[in-house]
Amino acid sequence: MTITLEKMRADVAAIIHEDPSEIGFDDNLMDLGLDSMRLMNLILTWQEAGVDLDFGEFAEEFTLNGWWRAIEAKRANA
């Protein structure tokens, strides 16, 4: 399975019990209720889908756009 920005948004929405359309790509996900345990669960799911980032890289910025930039940067350097 390939990870996409929309898939990430849907996964975050599901884990914090929100509609994906309610989550903006630049919203602070911690403010929306994402905690570190839920983030770890998401990271494990995304790692299984081929995302090669760890908790520290996701913890640098708590927005979908920030995470997507990190993924794209990692892919560009691969």
Side-chain angles (χ1 to χ4, degrees), residues 8-45:
M8 289 175 66
R9 180 161 85 163
D11 290 346
V12 169
I15 209 163
I16 62 171
H17 309 290
E18 291 289 337
D19 187 277
S21 66
E22 297 294 317
I23 300 173
F25 294 112
D26 290 312
D27 288 351
N28 183 318
L29 300 173
M30 298 299 269
D31 291 345
L32 298 178
L34 185 67
D35 58 31
S36 59
M37 290 305 296
R38 290 178 176 152
L39 176 56
M40 285 300 301
N41 287 333
L42 287 170
I43 290 170
L44 291 173
T45 299

Side-chain angles (χ1 to χ4, degrees), residues 1-3 44-53 71 75:
M1 170 183 26
T2 301
I3 194 77
L44 291 173
T45 299
W46 295 335
Q47 285 175 338
E48 291 172 4
V51 174
D52 184 29
L53 295 175
I71 290 169
R75 286 179 179 166

